[in-house]
Amino acid sequence: MSNSEISPRAEISPKAKIGDNCKIFPFVYIEDDVVIGDNCIIFPFVSILDGTRMGSHNKVHQGAVIGALPQDFNFRGEKSECIIGDNNIIRENVVINRATHRGGQTVIGNDNVLMEGAHISHDTKVGNACVFGYGTKIAGDCQIDDGVIFSSSVIENAKTHVGVGAMIQAGTTFSKDVPPYIICTKRSEYGGVNYTMGRSYGVDEKTLKHIANAYRLVFHGQTSVFDATNQIEQQVPDGPEIRTIIQFLRNSEMGIISKI
């Protein structure tokens, strides 16, 4: 702790491991089984609880609770973890639960932004460069791939999967999987390809047209998702994005969101 600026009014367990060049403000509470990497800023009234493993260059704002006990009736006090990567911005009153069972992990990757009031529940896995808008609530056992944008007040129900580069419109509640590179409307329906995110990922216009054609087969065809996936494989030119879509559709356990 010698290279970090730690307020004497912060309550930090001597067993906690704090990296170099951190700044920890007054009234921060950090429990025993916590590891915080270098160059993190922890603002006042943040609680970082047992099982948290935080990387470097994170900013955690006032009132956030990291590694909170899981809100799961199956929780029996087992030792589990909450893993936070690098370069994340965690804004005011965000709650991130640790996992429910021994050896389990809730995981937040790198370069994510969690806006005020967002909640990531137990055992959920979040990739990199995602944005969680104001008041967005992610239930337990979800999977969120890279580059997903949640607008404000989104509710993602348990065990669902959101594919890379998808965007969820404000006020949406959904209980099905959201495939990659698309927009999910407030009615939990397909709202077209997320061209903005695709271009920001460097996807060229020809590939974006292929993605649109693939989803035309899925959401506008008069066939099952299974058959539409086979049609994508047969009719749409191959490429990494198309393979990502095919893999997502074939691995979906909850089924995908509705057609318009």
Side-chain angles (χ1 to χ4, degrees), residues 119-121 124 132 136-140 142 144 150 154-156:
H119 187 159
I120 310 294
S121 296
T124 283
F132 296 83
T136 286
K137 311 298 182 184
I138 309 298
C142 293
I144 298 164
F150 294 86
V154 172
I155 298 175
E156 177 177 358

Side-chain angles (χ1 to χ4, degrees), residues 3 6 8-9 15 25 33 38 45 48 62 161 177 181 220 233 243 250 252:
N3 295 329
I6 299 175
R9 291 183 289 174
K15 297 180 181 179
F25 282 79
D33 184 23
D38 299 339
F45 303 105
I48 303 180
Q62 288 89 334
H161 183 187
D177 295 342
Y181 314 118
H220 298 294
E233 204 165 40
R243 289 194 293 272
R250 286 187 170 152
S252 175

